[in-house]
Amino acid sequence: MTQKAGFFTYLALILLALIFIAPVLWIFISSVKGPIDLYSWPPKFLPDSLSFENFTAAFSKGNFGLYFINSAIVAVSATILTLLINTMAGYALSKFRFKGDTLILFLFLSTLMIPIEVIMTPIFTVISKLGLYNNLLGLIIPPAATPMGVFLIRQYLLTVPDDLLEAARMDGAGEWRIFWTIIVPIAKPVIAVLTIFSFMWRWDDFIWPLIVISDPSKYTIQLALANFIGEFRVDWGSLLAMSVVTMIPILIVFLIFQKQFVKGMATSGMKE
């Protein structure tokens, strides 16, 4: 009875996984379809022959190499800055006791209830005053500190014994040394979780770059994809091809950190 229940459980999970992965497979397969297969009715899941004209046409229509580099600079820089700030903030809120620490955490978490549309105008005003409008730094700096990231780091570091840090202090280690040699290595699983989420958020972001960037030479890949949607016609072949290209960096980042990601998701927030 137990084996039958386990079989049906795995079967249900496999079917559910196929449902979620089906749209992604459709995009990958459609990106190598020719015009006849792409616009055929009824739709064909597998093309009669593979065609890479969509990729060559997409790269010939726009400077996607430059857009790809711009997105990589923004995503990588913002992720590194996010990891640094959030890890330090999470360490301070989990291992230091000072007046108002609970209030600060509450204020951090309360910002999760504020829609991003509400704060876009004041953030844009600050960006303009600082001279970061139409600048990639305007995409990197504002989202550096994320309340969810601080919360994840804090909850994970609560599981680290205080005695371990006290022993390091008794041996003469300073707070910076403790942070880099003890906290960061221990927090690798949750840092991997935050790395994947942060990179994905920055890479896929469209609304904020649309507001901050007006110079086409500073477009991110998501803004470039929007150019394929014309007033009267959508170039679906090129759009699908470039959509596949934009998925590759996220897949690579996930494959690199997948083991730590699973471990971090299983252990984050286990202790109050």
Side-chain angles (χ1 to χ4, degrees):
M1 189 69 179
T2 305
Q3 291 181 349
K4 288 184 178 179
F7 170 77
F8 285 111
T9 299
Y10 281 112
L11 180 61
L13 291 174
I14 291 173
L15 292 176
L16 186 62
L18 290 176
I19 292 174
F20 280 102
I21 202 174
V24 179
L25 289 177
W26 184 271
I27 292 175
F28 272 90
I29 294 174
S30 297
S31 67
V32 293
K33 289 181 179 179
I36 297 177
D37 292 327
L38 187 61
Y39 297 105
S40 64
W41 187 263
K44 295 180 180 179
F45 184 73
L46 295 176
D48 295 332
S49 61
L50 299 180
S51 174
F52 294 94
E53 294 180 0
N54 293 330
F55 291 90
T56 56
F59 277 99
S60 64
K61 290 179 181 178
N63 194 357
F64 270 93
L66 177 61
Y67 304 146
F68 198 91
I69 292 174
N70 290 341
S71 288
I73 292 174
V74 171
V76 173
S77 301
T79 298
I80 293 174
L81 194 59
T82 298
L83 294 178
L84 181 62
I85 294 176
N86 288 2
T87 305
M88 290 192 295
Y91 172 49
L93 291 173
S94 63
K95 294 304 177 184
F96 292 91
R97 294 295 174 261
F98 53 90
K99 188 176 182 180
D101 56 347
T102 304
L103 177 61
I104 292 175
L105 178 63
F106 173 77
L107 292 176
F108 263 106
L109 296 180
S110 64
T111 59
L112 292 173
M113 297 180 287
I114 303 176
I116 186 64
E117 293 80 5
V118 175
I119 60 176
M120 274 188 175
T121 299
I123 294 178
F124 179 77
T125 302
V126 173
I127 290 298
S128 299
K129 295 292 184 181
L130 294 176
L132 298 180
Y133 174 72
N134 204 25
N135 192 315
L136 293 182
L137 289 177
L139 306 180
I140 297 172
I141 297 177
T146 58
M148 180 58 69
V150 174
F151 178 74
L152 287 175
I153 297 291
R154 176 188 179 272
Q155 293 301 104
Y156 187 90
L157 293 181
L158 286 175
T159 63
V160 178
D162 293 336
D163 294 340
L164 177 63
L165 306 183
E166 290 298 329
R169 293 187 181 102
M170 292 179 63
D171 289 339
E175 294 301 329
W176 276 108
R177 185 177 179 184
I178 292 174
F179 176 77
W180 289 110
T181 60
I182 298 178
I183 296 299
V184 172
I186 289 177
K188 280 184 178 180
V190 71
I191 290 176
V193 173
L194 187 57
T195 299
I196 294 174
F197 284 156
S198 179
F199 186 89
M200 181 178 63
W201 293 334
R202 309 301 170 247
W203 185 267
D204 290 338
D205 194 9
F206 172 74
I207 298 297
W208 185 243
L210 180 64
I211 295 173
V212 175
I213 302 299
S214 60
D215 185 357
S217 65
K218 298 178 182 178
Y219 277 2
T220 60
I221 196 74
Q222 303 302 332
L223 292 179
L225 286 176
N227 290 333
F228 282 116
I229 303 177
E231 184 177 357
F232 302 105
R233 180 179 176 272
V234 179
D235 188 351
W236 289 110
S238 299
L239 184 61
L240 290 170
M242 286 300 97
S243 297
V244 170
V245 173
T246 60
M247 292 181 189
I248 295 175
I250 297 178
L251 292 175
I252 293 175
V253 171
F254 180 78
L255 290 175
I256 293 174
F257 295 101
Q258 62 174 332
K259 291 184 179 179
Q260 296 292 339
F261 175 81
V262 174
K263 184 178 178 181
M265 290 297 292
T267 54
S268 297
M270 295 297 291
K271 182 177 179 181
E272 295 293 339

